[in-house]
Amino acid sequence: VLTTSPLAADVTLPGWQSDYEAALETARQEKKPILATVSAVWCGACRQMQQLTLNDVQVARLVETRFIGLVID
């Protein structure tokens, strides 16, 4: 069982969702796999990953094209 905390709603990454149920429904409709990233507000490495990788325009395009991106906090 995957759950997301209210803090995950604060994550704004292009092409990524923070609601598991919505991501699952979108994945079913679009017939795409879910690509999940797990992070924590207090985790410095997680923040760095979000800033340097997940916010990258090319990464966002790839995720949006091939996956349903899900951020789990």
Side-chain angles (χ1 to χ4, degrees):
V1 174
L2 293 175
T3 60
T4 57
S5 77
L7 296 174
D10 294 338
V11 175
T12 53
L13 296 171
W16 293 80
Q17 297 185 31
S18 61
D19 183 296
Y20 173 72
E21 293 298 327
L24 188 60
E25 181 60 29
T26 303
R28 285 182 182 140
Q29 289 175 357
E30 296 185 19
K31 296 183 176 25
K32 292 181 182 177
I34 291 177
L35 177 65
T37 181
V38 180
S39 107
V41 174
W42 50 265
C43 175
C46 299
R47 284 193 310 270
Q48 186 176 22
M49 173 86 142
Q50 288 177 359
Q51 291 170 354
L52 299 177
T53 304
L54 302 181
N55 270 320
D56 182 84
V57 174
Q58 290 178 322
V59 172
R61 283 186 193 140
L62 179 67
V63 170
E64 198 169 12
T65 302
R66 298 186 182 174
F67 303 97
I68 302 304
L70 174 65
V71 177
I72 301 170
D73 186 87

